[in-house]
Amino acid sequence: MPATTALLVLTWLTIALLFLALGATVRSLRLLQARVDRHATEFAATRTAMRIAGTGTARIVLAADSGCALCGAVAERLSRLADRLPAPLSLMTYEQADAWAGRVDTDRLPVVSDPVSWQEIAHLSPPVLLLVAADGEVQRLFLPVDVAGVDRVLNEWSLAMNRGVEADAVHAGTDSVR
């Protein structure tokens, strides 16, 4: 067999192998996308079923752990902003309320010990900022990574609440869970 024919056959075999590899990669991506879509749907169903006990009025709830430094910073920020927000605030924890004594102004940010409601969000890493309807249903959920993100989300939620827009229609940016 001449060298040019062998080279041509080898080239076509290489091209065929590359197409097979590309097909396998595309298949893997489709399987991964289906898995992510399924988990996102399951998470969304879980999130909309969450209820925070004992609210009675629409409010902004911070689910926090006293051992978390970011939780403390977010709680301090919320207590400073309490007068400017259109909804009352609460700090929800699984701990005894006195774990937050001296750490936040409990007159401006009341601490509620609610282990049952905490179990609803225990799979999330605190702090968790929640916009809760009067019936206790969680309308929006935000997982802050810094205090600046909290300010941004609170501004968006406040604008929406001041305009009378449904809390569910608020989009809190890329860090939020819709």
Side-chain angles (χ1 to χ4, degrees), residues 24-35:
T25 303
V26 169
R27 180 180 180 275
S28 294
L29 285 174
R30 285 186 180 162
L31 289 173
L32 180 61
Q33 183 177 9
R35 176 181 261 182

Side-chain angles (χ1 to χ4, degrees), residues 1-175:
M1 176 179 342
T4 56
T5 304
L7 187 59
L8 188 61
V9 169
L10 185 60
T11 302
W12 280 107
L13 284 174
T14 304
I15 290 171
L17 284 173
L18 286 173
F19 275 116
L20 289 174
L22 179 63
T25 303
V26 169
R27 180 180 180 275
S28 294
L29 285 174
R30 285 186 180 162
L31 289 173
L32 180 61
Q33 183 177 9
R35 176 181 261 182
V36 167
D37 289 344
R38 184 177 66 245
H39 287 299
T41 302
E42 290 170 4
F43 180 75
T46 301
R47 188 190 67 77
T48 57
M50 285 195 298
R51 297 224 178 257
I52 303 300
T55 56
T57 175
R59 65 180 49 246
I60 296 170
V61 176
L62 172 64
D65 180 346
S66 65
C68 163
L70 182 57
C71 296
V74 171
E76 288 175 24
R77 183 68 181 147
L78 284 177
S79 65
R80 278 184 289 200
L81 294 173
D83 296 335
R84 289 186 263 166
L85 296 174
L89 298 170
S90 295
L91 188 150
M92 180 184 69
T93 184
Y94 63 92
E95 307 161 306
Q96 294 297 321
D98 60 0
W100 287 89
R103 299 188 71 195
V104 295
D105 182 355
T106 56
D107 292 332
R108 300 181 80 165
L109 184 63
V111 179
V112 177
S113 180
D114 189 350
V116 174
S117 293
W118 183 270
Q119 285 298 323
E120 294 290 327
I121 59 170
H123 61 284
L124 301 172
S125 178
V128 180
L129 200 57
L130 307 157
L131 183 58
V132 181
D135 65 356
E137 184 174 343
V138 175
Q139 298 293 311
R140 299 293 301 148
L141 180 141
F142 177 69
L143 302 171
V145 294
D146 58 15
V147 178
V150 171
D151 289 345
R152 180 178 45 81
V153 168
L154 289 175
N155 285 335
E156 290 178 15
W157 289 358
S158 295
L159 287 173
M161 292 172 80
N162 286 336
R163 284 189 216 134
V165 175
E166 286 289 310
D168 195 45
V170 178
H171 178 24
T174 57
D175 295 336

